[in-house]
Amino acid sequence: MVYIVVIKNSVYIKGKNYYVQVKYGNIFRQKGWKVIPFDECFSTKIGVATADIKANSICGQYLEQYPIDNMRELIANSKIKPSERNSFYQGKTRYESGVMLPRADYFLLSFAKLDKDGKGYFASREEYLQCLARVWEELDAKYGYKDVCLPVLGAGITRIGDGNPTRQELVDMMIFSYKLSRHKIKTKLKIICIRGKKDGFSLDKIGSSI
């Protein structure tokens, strides 16, 4: 049995062994772990070039608030291993989508793959779902009994398959993937949505496919 309750600016979805809250808000103001999506190479350069981190993205906002002087050292200290295959973008070292490393009360997430031009993408929705499966596994291993907050993964400029899913679809995909995963946290998983985007997104429509 799945219970879905809408209270003001939040939707609560509770199942047998999971608890998800979808709400409007600013991820940087949330309590608990905050997941920040990077690209597969953990790039940190903010700019306007194709491969640069955009300043208005969640990753860009994070880097401006919490600059990283030496990402290679941070990665080395976290002991995560690079992928066997380098990135299509300039042959850089890459990390599997879904891998994350902790920094203070944040999880830095290797998310979008990069093409030869440095554009973020997933070749299909199946690849996106594989990434989510790895995210739940990583959180299960590392969350330390604190709530975990995520943005709507893929709602930025990352391309997913031939046609990008809407933000409404992405939220339902995240919830459905988490529901099916055997890796779950015992605290609350929060999906934080940005208010004001004119894309037809509505909290009232969440869970219609669950």
Side-chain angles (χ1 to χ4, degrees):
M1 180 70 69
V2 177
Y3 298 94
I4 302 176
V5 180
V6 181
I7 302 177
K8 291 186 178 180
N9 294 322
S10 294
V11 174
Y12 298 88
I13 303 166
K14 185 173 177 58
K16 181 179 179 180
N17 59 347
Y18 66 92
Y19 190 0
V20 179
Q21 179 185 10
V22 186
K23 60 181 287 190
Y24 290 118
N26 184 328
I27 194 167
F28 297 101
R29 297 176 183 172
Q30 307 302 313
K31 295 181 180 179
W33 290 106
K34 277 81 70 175
V35 176
I36 306 297
F38 281 69
D39 61 40
E40 65 178 354
C41 300
F42 283 112
S43 303
T44 57
K45 181 185 177 184
I46 298 175
V48 296
T50 300
D52 291 344
I53 305 298
K54 304 305 178 284
N56 63 348
S57 69
I58 290 174
C59 183
Q61 293 176 60
Y62 172 82
L63 289 170
E64 290 191 332
Q65 293 181 57
Y66 308 102
I68 299 176
D69 296 326
N70 192 331
M71 177 59 91
R72 299 302 86 162
E73 181 179 350
L74 183 62
I75 291 173
N77 290 339
S78 72
K79 298 181 180 179
I80 64 172
K81 297 183 181 299
S83 172
E84 293 181 0
R85 177 184 68 79
N86 287 347
S87 174
F88 289 126
Y89 180 63
Q90 298 182 350
K92 292 186 175 183
T93 300
R94 63 178 291 271
Y95 299 83
E96 294 297 332
S97 296
V99 167
M100 57 182 69
L101 58 94
R103 187 189 188 213
D105 55 351
Y106 288 87
F107 284 128
L108 311 188
L109 169 66
S110 171
F111 181 59
K113 299 180 178 181
L114 296 176
D115 66 13
K116 62 182 180 61
D117 298 314
K119 294 179 181 178
Y121 79 99
F122 287 97
S124 63
R125 295 192 183 203
E126 287 70 25
E127 276 196 352
Y128 172 76
L129 290 171
Q130 288 171 8
C131 172
L132 291 181
R134 184 63 178 268
V135 167
W136 311 140
E137 183 178 355
E138 289 275 298
L139 290 179
D140 186 21
K142 298 176 179 178
Y143 77 104
Y145 290 89
K146 294 195 297 185
D147 288 348
V148 177
C149 305
L150 304 96
V152 182
L153 296 174
I157 60 175
T158 299
R159 295 164 296 154
I160 301 175
D162 295 331
N164 280 352
T166 65
R167 188 161 57 127
Q168 197 81 51
E169 291 174 316
L170 289 169
V171 171
D172 272 3
M173 288 168 72
M174 290 175 68
I175 296 170
F176 189 67
S177 168
Y178 186 62
K179 174 186 175 182
L180 293 181
S181 175
R182 65 184 180 90
H183 296 284
K184 294 184 176 70
I185 63 177
K186 297 185 184 301
T187 53
K188 190 183 298 180
L189 186 78
K190 300 180 182 179
I191 301 174
I192 311 301
C193 305
I194 299 173
R195 186 191 292 275
K197 288 188 176 183
K198 297 180 179 179
D199 58 1
F201 176 82
S202 172
L203 289 178
D204 293 333
K205 298 177 184 177
I206 286 174
S208 58
S209 63
I210 300 172

